[in-house]
Amino acid sequence: MPRATVYRLPKSNQRERRAIIHQDQTAAAPFNRRAIPDAASESRWQAADGHAIRRIDWAVPGGDAPPRGSILFLPGRGDHYEKYLETLDEWHRDGWRVTASDWRGQGESGRLGKDAVTGHISDFAIWTRDLAHLWAQWIAETPGPHVLAGHSMGGHLVLRTVAEGRIKPDAMVLSAPMLGFPDSIVPQGVTHAAARLMAAVGDPARPAWKWSEKPGEPPAARIALLTHDEKRYADELWWREQRPDLVMGPGSWGWVERALASIRWLGRPDILAKIDIPVLIVATSNDRLVSWKAVGHAVRHLPKGELAAFGDEAHHEILRECDAVRDRAMMAIARFLDRAAPAES
């Protein structure tokens, strides 16, 4: 992949950062991934049409040091911010003012289909309008520089919102962004035409694939797509039990068709070339949920695109991987933000 900046961190730097962030683990307890941190507060914000959407905020860190800036994070399809509490809290302890939000129709922010577990949307533009509305409010109440981050579908949507000219962050961090589905010998246009037909001949809100015998219950093999870390994966299942409204299963045929339409538009070289903002993509060639080839295409055409690349050691959820992998990703993000979004003096 030409133009890609590949981060390979020495182990000494990993240990050094872990000692700083976690304060040697003897002076402070390990982070509890199954609790909302004391420093964070949950609330709801109102979209332009009045739809209530959930958010979580970490205020500006205390102490004498000025705030490092602010990060807004958006999760992936079927996701919820509880899965990323560890990363969000770590950014906060690094000095950032941090916010994360559900997408409308996911997490505990309602559903847009006809049942409680199918992920449906009639148009991705609904989500980009929501993000633009939140962004305008958020930058007015938080210190700069302002960084926009997203995982998977969230990464796709934050990049698309910027490409549409609705918002302009100082920098972006995309974790395994949904810039394409897993590579196939079938041309993307053919796949999109088939999805358009499936959405048209039946109810577009019906599920596009079968996930398990029990609606919303994840299949046993799902962990092999997401992470090598069994404990972090178990944390997600724990949150789904504690907060049943978080549970989401397959996407709808409407979602699939709209996703492909959005992917094809965002993947155009002329569209990517207009995004003149520093972008770090954290991705793995071992990803079986999103296209590694599409990541390379984006990095080559984004004027200020960079890549932190992983291989067989990582699955799709790099920010929820084993410590050795996750530490490398977090260090790559920290170094990128030091260059691309330095603290305001």
Side-chain angles (χ1 to χ4, degrees):
M1 293 182 182
R3 293 192 70 255
T5 300
V6 181
Y7 295 86
R8 303 292 185 192
L9 303 183
K11 293 182 179 179
S12 59
N13 284 349
Q14 295 175 31
R15 288 196 298 267
E16 178 183 358
R17 185 170 190 277
R18 190 179 299 159
I20 293 172
I21 296 299
H22 298 288
Q23 301 180 7
D24 197 24
Q25 296 301 317
T26 58
F31 181 76
N32 182 1
R33 298 188 296 264
R34 298 186 179 188
I36 301 299
D38 292 339
S41 60
E42 296 180 282
S43 63
R44 293 183 181 270
W45 59 277
Q46 300 289 320
D49 63 356
H51 190 103
I53 303 176
R54 201 175 56 134
R55 64 186 283 179
I56 185 169
D57 291 88
W58 282 252
V60 173
D64 297 330
R68 173 68 183 77
S70 301
I71 298 176
L72 174 61
F73 176 83
L74 286 303
R77 194 207 73 81
D79 264 356
H80 43 87
Y81 59 63
E82 286 86 347
K83 291 175 60 173
Y84 303 94
L85 292 173
E86 180 179 24
T87 294
L88 301 171
D89 193 73
E90 192 165 319
W91 282 335
H92 177 254
R93 286 182 283 126
D94 279 345
W96 294 91
R97 162 68 162 84
V98 177
T99 299
S101 173
D102 282 343
W103 291 109
R104 175 196 300 240
Q106 293 195 170
E108 291 188 339
S109 296
R111 295 291 180 268
L112 303 177
K114 297 181 178 179
D115 61 64
V117 295
T118 303
H120 178 66
I121 191 75
S122 59
D123 197 328
F124 274 34
I126 295 171
W127 282 328
T128 61
R129 286 195 297 267
D130 284 348
L131 177 54
H133 186 75
L134 172 61
W135 181 262
Q137 298 176 353
W138 182 76
I139 61 172
E141 64 191 26
T142 58
H146 293 98
V147 176
L148 187 57
H151 170 69
S152 196
M153 186 188 79
H156 172 97
L157 287 168
V158 302
L159 190 64
R160 171 174 160 166
T161 308
V162 173
E164 291 176 344
R166 296 179 183 271
I167 60 177
K168 191 171 184 180
D170 294 296
M172 283 185 283
V173 175
L174 312 181
S175 164
M178 189 188 76
L179 303 179
F181 291 137
D183 301 328
S184 169
I185 61 172
V186 180
Q188 193 176 73
V190 174
T191 303
H192 186 202
R196 191 182 298 118
L197 176 64
M198 293 299 294
V201 299
D203 184 350
R206 73 191 190 281
W209 63 89
K210 188 174 183 179
W211 201 11
S212 65
E213 294 300 326
K214 182 179 179 181
E217 181 176 313
R222 179 170 174 264
I223 184 175
L225 299 174
L226 301 182
T227 176
H228 291 87
D229 193 304
E230 295 181 1
K231 292 183 179 178
R232 286 188 171 97
Y233 182 74
D235 294 333
E236 178 191 358
L237 303 185
W238 183 88
W239 278 108
R240 288 162 64 102
E241 291 178 356
Q242 300 302 310
R243 296 180 168 184
D245 288 346
L246 298 177
V247 174
M248 179 169 280
S252 69
W253 275 112
W255 179 89
V256 171
E257 190 279 319
R258 289 291 82 197
L260 285 164
S262 190
I263 285 168
R264 296 182 72 189
W265 178 81
L266 187 58
R268 286 168 41 186
D270 61 315
I271 298 297
L272 293 169
K274 294 177 182 178
I275 305 175
D276 191 26
I277 293 170
V279 181
L280 174 65
I281 298 180
V282 181
T284 172
S285 60
N286 191 39
D287 204 316
R288 287 186 283 164
L289 292 177
V290 300
S291 170
W292 171 249
K293 182 179 178 180
V295 166
H297 171 82
V299 171
R300 288 192 296 271
H301 290 93
L302 288 166
K304 298 178 182 177
E306 299 182 31
L307 173 67
F310 293 81
D312 291 347
E313 72 275 19
H315 289 315
H316 181 63
E317 293 183 346
I318 300 172
L319 299 180
R320 299 181 65 244
E321 263 294 356
C322 299
D323 286 347
V325 173
R326 183 178 176 278
D327 285 350
R328 285 171 53 202
M330 293 299 289
M331 177 63 84
I333 293 170
R335 289 182 170 180
F336 167 76
L337 292 178
D338 283 344
R339 298 192 314 275
E344 296 180 352
S345 58

